[in-house]
Amino acid sequence: MRLQPDCIHEFVAGTSERTLLLLHGTGGNERDLISLGRNLDPSASLLSPRGNVLENGMPRFFRRLAEGVFDLEDLKMRTNELANFVTAAAQRYSINMKRIVAVGYSNGANIAASMLLLRPEILSAAILFRAMVPLAPETQQNLSLVRVWMGAGTFDPIVPASDSTRLAELLRGAGAEVTIRFFEGGHGLTHADVDAAQEWLMTLK
Ligand code: MLT
């Protein structure tokens, strides 16, 4: 059976009701974050799609015009496409739609943030590593039941600290409970990020 909309992906069944939606960075693929997902939650199911856009052969979740400058029409379209994929995958794999936690890194974190802002029914929580403000939503969503953890790098050359803070404020403004942590480092993921995100995830129901 093919999922509609279709998307290359991995699904690893877990033993709990939670599913981590793993969203890789630019140039990654559906296998990239599987071990990170297992580290974060050994019992969750893992759903890991590959971004449908290619930039010089590198998979991404949406088009960009330059680094940090997004093609907003494509971003909106791809956000809906990904949300519809998750809904189709939930039916196919018997995923509990109320227990989906996005785990995104860089480009993957940006589309997860976009999904929170445009399709809030999909995610109950999100872990965003090195995310920036993806877009300014036209209508404000009610994210009062959503919890978000953000990990930012103090010397990130791609995401300025002010941009991470702006995203945290945007999500808080919509009612989400947001934890933002700054780690000494750049755009790359650190062990400290993963340890802190894991600890936070354990506090979720
Ligand atoms: C993006 O394009 O989403 C951000 O610039 C991060 C990245 O380089 O992928």
Side-chain angles (χ1 to χ4, degrees), residues 116-133:
L116 287 170
L117 297 168
L118 299 179
R119 295 288 300 269
E121 77 278 15
I122 303 292
L123 302 173
S124 62
I127 292 176
L128 307 177
F129 296 114
R130 308 300 182 267
M132 57 177 71
V133 175

Side-chain angles (χ1 to χ4, degrees), residues 21-25 49-53 60-63 70 74-83 102-119 122-123 126-135 167:
L21 173 65
L22 304 173
L23 301 166
H24 62 78
R50 183 191 300 185
N52 271 339
V53 168
R60 285 177 52 82
F61 286 98
F62 57 88
R63 279 176 38 133
F70 302 149
D74 188 66
L75 171 56
K76 287 178 203 161
M77 192 268 279
R78 298 290 173 187
T79 301
N80 280 312
E81 184 181 66
L82 183 61
V103 177
Y105 167 66
S106 189
N107 181 243
N110 293 340
I111 198 155
S114 178
M115 195 140 64
L116 287 170
L117 297 168
L118 299 179
R119 295 288 300 269
I122 303 292
L123 302 173
I127 292 176
L128 307 177
F129 296 114
R130 308 300 182 267
M132 57 177 71
V133 175
L135 46 74
L167 176 58

Side-chain angles (χ1 to χ4, degrees), residues 16-21 41 44-45 95-102 122-125 204-205:
S16 76
E17 283 291 299
R18 179 183 290 159
T19 296
L20 302 184
L21 173 65
D41 185 340
S45 295
I95 288 170
N96 182 346
M97 281 290 289
K98 294 195 177 356
R99 300 289 307 278
I100 300 178
V101 180
I122 303 292
L123 302 173
S124 62
L204 288 190
K205 270 195 279 158

Side-chain angles (χ1 to χ4, degrees), residues 4 11 23 26 38 46 64 74 94 98 107-108 162 199:
Q4 291 303 331
F11 177 75
L23 301 166
T26 300
R38 257 298 150 262
L46 308 174
R64 64 180 164 182
D74 188 66
S94 304
K98 294 195 177 356
N107 181 243
S162 57
E199 213 170 283

